Amino acid sequence: MTGTRAFLRKGRLYMILSIFALFSAFPFYWMVIATFKRDHDLFSPTNNPFLFNEPPTLDHLRLLLTETHFLTYLLNTFLVGMAVVAITLAVAVPAAYSLARWARGWGEMFGIGIFLTYLVPPTILFIPLSRFASALGLQESLWSLILIYPTFTIPFCTWLLMGFFKTIPLDIEEQAMIDGLSRLGAMVKVVLPLAISGILTIVVFAFTLSMHEFIYALTFISVSAKKTVSIGVPTELVRGDVFQWGPLMAGALLASIPVAVVYTFFLDRFIAGFTMGAVK
Amino acid sequence: MIGDTRIGGAGIRDRADILARLMIMPAIVYIAAMIGFPFVLAILYSLSDATTGDPALHVVGLINFREILADPVFRTSLKNTFVFALVSQSLVIILSRILATALMAEFRGKWIARFLIMLPWTAPISLGTIGWLWMFDSIFSPIDWILRWFGLLGVPGALLGPMQNLYWLGEPLLAMASVVTVHVWRLLPLATVIQLAGLSSIPKDLLEAAEVDGARAWRRTFEITIPLTLPIISIAFLFGLVFTFTDMTVVYVLTRGGPIHMTQVLSTWTFFKGIEGGDLAQGAAISLFMFPVLAGIAALVLRMARRTEVV
């Protein structure tokens, strides 16, 4: 009796999860299929779209890697991402520590203010910022993205890290200071190593958020060789109204999966950070 | 002696008040320069007649707002922005609750289920949306293929009509449904993750005690789980609202606002007017219509956060 019930419960669980997994992963499954499907197979409306009706091919991949700027997009994305991570760390770590430890009066106000700026979206800022970029002569330059992406990484990462720092007991620092470290020394030598998982989380975050960004890149960059993956693939692989479906899907797939793997790997830390920061 | 070494390390490194200000200064300066100032600039632009050809600021008053409000495309955008965000996030909250409950269980192959379910959030949004672009293709849509396979489409007398395709992105209502679908798809993982955090924060013994007392599963859900996780559910809902309300990528990649502006939203209309059309002033004015809603959401989030901190 209980055996059957447990079995039914398990069955229901797997069914629910399968439906959700199918819904979530289907576009990506589709990318895999389209990447390796021959054009003739792809463009026959009567062919089963989920299977290979003709032998698979590497043509789309070859086209993507040799005849488009795809690898350049990846490199650009990586360069921008690393630079944004560096800037975010340099600004957010001290700010978060300051807010977590000395947040009284003005400090609390600043903390809330920084959190609120995260809610000012790129869709309001991109018009004035496009004037910034051109005033600084940074149009068509990756530097414009490096300068502007921290507008969304710094507020969020500061908020996240603040939550992490707050969980580290003050006693540990006080003990370190009694043992002869300065206030700053206690932070650098004792607190930062303990907050390493929080810091790793914001590294992953700043990088993935930069990689995901679309509006600023679309607004500031129009030269193909300077594009990042998130705009290069949707804009350059669609020529006029002609969709190059095979390479398009291959590009979307190749750029999505690695970042998704890394992100998933850090998901638990992300959950902890997010809820501590936002809800506590 | 302890005191000596600390004085030896001296000065600023031990002055908490100075350190506090110094360490937060870069963040404040950057945010003021790159978020605060541009925001003020957006307001100034909205009151001016600036274009990309002549970006000088001549304040002309509220003319832009008057012109925008008279524009039917703007009104469609405004309505769509609300409809897309509210409909998609209502669905997301219900679905993520079901999904999070399922993911609380321990089972084999959990990591792969999680990986697949999180993909829409972890993969770049513009690239994921490209996958959907094909799903909704006017001729090769796999969705249409399935419908045809089941005989719901493409034969005389079929439930959805005798034509071969539904033209997902070509029919106004279907195009709107497509946009909502992609938003649901995109935000479901985030909401699930947040709800999971909420669920795992409920003390286990509380649920066990209720079970021992004979409370059935649905009573435990409605009388313990949901009330206890209501703050975190609200957080998930409000964050989802912000993300969908301000998102431009989904509509831009999927429909570009078409057919005939029927899926246009504030963000895409800002882009088409302000950047592609070169009318900085009107673009800025359109984008500012998002602000009151965002400010309201921000106030709600803050209230929620405060309340949970007390608990």
Side-chain angles (χ1 to χ4, degrees):
Chain A
M1 183 64 189
T2 44
T4 347
R5 253 174 72 187
F7 183 76
L8 281 178
R9 198 183 249 188
K10 199 119 232 182
R12 207 185 60 178
L13 180 73
Y14 277 116
M15 207 178 75
I16 292 173
L17 286 170
S18 311
I19 293 170
F20 276 111
L22 206 67
F23 176 59
S24 294
F26 199 71
F28 297 97
Y29 169 74
W30 178 254
M31 288 175 196
V32 176
I33 295 284
T35 299
F36 298 108
K37 230 178 188 192
R38 280 167 200 270
D39 269 343
H40 180 263
D41 189 1
L42 204 56
F43 297 120
S44 306
T46 49
N47 278 4
N48 185 328
F50 308 105
L51 305 170
F52 292 101
N53 305 284
E54 293 167 26
T57 173
L58 291 175
D59 284 351
H60 300 315
L61 271 183
R62 196 176 306 128
L63 193 74
L64 177 77
L65 296 177
T66 58
E67 287 180 31
T68 70
H69 284 107
F70 183 69
L71 292 174
T72 316
Y73 304 152
L74 282 182
L75 181 68
N76 292 342
T77 307
F78 183 76
L79 292 175
V80 171
M82 293 316 278
V84 171
V85 165
I87 295 174
T88 306
L89 280 179
V91 177
V93 170
Y97 183 81
S98 174
L99 287 173
R101 282 295 182 257
W102 299 300
R104 263 164 226 99
W106 61 268
E108 194 179 16
M109 231 172 60
F110 277 139
I112 292 168
I114 284 179
F115 173 70
L116 289 186
T117 54
Y118 182 65
L119 297 175
V120 181
T123 32
I124 288 182
L125 298 176
F126 74 98
I127 286 192
L129 285 176
S130 76
R131 301 316 303 163
F132 270 40
S134 66
L136 294 170
L138 295 177
Q139 270 169 327
E140 306 298 348
S141 159
L142 293 179
W143 286 107
S144 66
L145 304 184
I146 293 170
L147 181 69
I148 284 164
Y149 282 3
T151 52
F152 53 85
T153 59
I154 287 177
F156 193 53
C157 292
T158 303
W159 183 252
L160 272 183
L161 262 183
M162 194 177 81
F164 266 93
F165 283 137
K166 275 185 179 167
T167 61
I168 297 170
L170 203 57
D171 309 354
I172 297 179
E173 281 161 275
E174 278 165 359
Q175 188 57 46
M177 284 188 285
I178 289 168
D179 292 345
L181 284 175
S182 67
R183 193 75 196 70
L184 191 64
M187 175 206 155
V188 175
K189 291 193 183 128
V190 178
V191 179
L192 286 190
L194 287 174
I196 199 74
S197 71
I199 291 170
L200 265 177
T201 308
I202 68 162
V203 167
V204 172
F205 244 108
F207 192 87
T208 47
L209 286 175
S210 311
M211 184 166 182
H212 287 195
E213 206 287 327
F214 184 78
I215 301 164
Y216 291 136
L218 185 72
T219 309
F220 303 148
I221 312 268
S222 57
V223 176
S224 183
K226 290 286 168 63
K227 286 186 174 175
T228 56
V229 162
S230 67
I231 59 160
V233 173
T235 58
E236 293 293 317
L237 298 178
V238 182
R239 303 245 165 89
D241 279 337
V242 184
F243 290 81
Q244 294 189 308
W245 283 112
L248 185 63
M249 292 299 171
L253 183 74
L254 287 187
S256 301
I257 298 304
V259 64
V261 170
V262 177
Y263 203 147
T264 311
F265 188 66
F266 280 85
L267 206 60
D268 285 323
R269 285 182 177 147
F270 160 60
I271 298 168
F274 196 97
T275 48
M276 256 193 300
V279 196
K280 175 122 188 167
Chain B
M1 269 172 28
I2 299 159
D4 286 347
T5 43
R6 288 181 64 189
I7 292 163
I12 211 168
R13 276 179 284 169
D14 271 319
R15 293 284 305 274
D17 51 337
I18 296 179
L19 277 177
R21 285 172 173 76
L22 269 182
M23 281 163 61
I24 201 165
M25 208 35 83
I28 304 257
V29 169
Y30 180 87
I31 287 172
M34 300 302 289
I35 301 177
F37 180 50
F39 182 67
V40 174
L41 205 56
I43 296 173
L44 289 178
Y45 272 131
S46 75
L47 301 172
S48 77
D49 60 356
T51 61
T52 32
D54 176 19
L57 273 168
H58 307 118
V59 174
V60 294
L62 295 170
I63 295 174
N64 291 312
F65 289 94
R66 219 170 296 146
E67 279 178 17
I68 289 166
L69 284 168
D71 177 5
V73 177
F74 170 78
R75 276 178 288 183
T76 314
S77 311
L78 190 64
K79 184 204 72 188
N80 283 345
T81 309
F82 278 96
V83 171
F84 292 163
L86 287 172
V87 173
S88 67
Q89 290 321 296
S90 306
L91 288 169
V92 160
I93 286 306
I94 299 166
L95 293 174
S96 64
R97 155 66 33 156
I98 300 170
L99 183 52
T101 313
L103 280 175
M104 283 295 283
E106 288 302 325
F107 55 90
R108 288 177 73 181
K110 189 169 175 174
W111 67 272
I112 184 88
R114 268 175 74 118
F115 175 72
L116 293 176
I117 286 163
M118 295 302 151
L119 265 179
W121 181 255
T122 52
I125 172 70
S126 64
L127 304 181
T129 310
I130 285 177
W132 282 101
L133 201 54
W134 178 273
M135 310 281 277
F136 296 134
D137 190 80
S138 57
I139 301 171
F140 305 107
S141 163
I143 303 172
D144 290 351
W145 190 88
I146 295 173
L147 293 172
R148 284 199 299 273
W149 195 77
F150 279 111
L152 295 172
L153 183 73
V155 288
L159 188 66
L160 297 170
M163 63 287 190
Q164 289 296 306
N165 292 94
L166 282 177
Y167 305 107
W168 289 94
L169 303 177
E171 299 282 343
L173 265 180
L174 285 178
M176 291 174 74
S178 304
V179 172
V180 169
T181 306
V182 178
H183 277 312
V184 170
W185 175 80
R186 159 80 169 159
L187 266 307
L188 182 61
L190 180 73
T192 305
V193 158
I194 298 176
Q195 294 234 30
L196 264 173
L199 287 180
S200 44
S201 73
I202 296 176
K204 277 228 167 62
D205 36 348
L206 192 64
L207 288 172
E208 277 160 14
E211 202 170 355
V212 171
D213 290 344
R216 287 189 170 275
W218 65 267
R219 264 197 76 184
R220 293 201 298 274
T221 305
F222 281 96
E223 290 180 16
I224 299 176
T225 319
I226 290 185
L228 276 181
T229 52
L230 202 57
I232 214 167
I233 294 175
S234 320
I235 292 280
F237 184 73
L238 293 172
F239 269 99
L241 271 189
V242 172
F243 283 125
T244 39
F245 196 81
T246 61
D247 178 76
M248 178 178 113
T249 315
V250 171
V251 171
Y252 184 86
V253 173
L254 219 51
T255 66
R256 307 232 163 179
I260 38 167
H261 299 306
M262 293 307 283
T263 57
Q264 208 71 263
V265 287
L266 289 178
S267 55
T268 49
W269 196 226
T270 302
F271 183 81
F272 290 128
K273 272 271 178 181
I275 300 295
E276 292 202 339
D279 193 337
L280 293 173
Q282 285 215 2
I286 295 166
S287 72
L288 285 176
F289 276 86
M290 285 184 258
F291 189 70
V293 174
L294 293 172
I297 292 177
L300 280 175
V301 169
L302 280 180
R303 267 184 64 188
M304 301 300 314
R306 283 251 173 80
R307 200 173 303 162
T308 30
E309 227 163 19
V310 175
V311 168

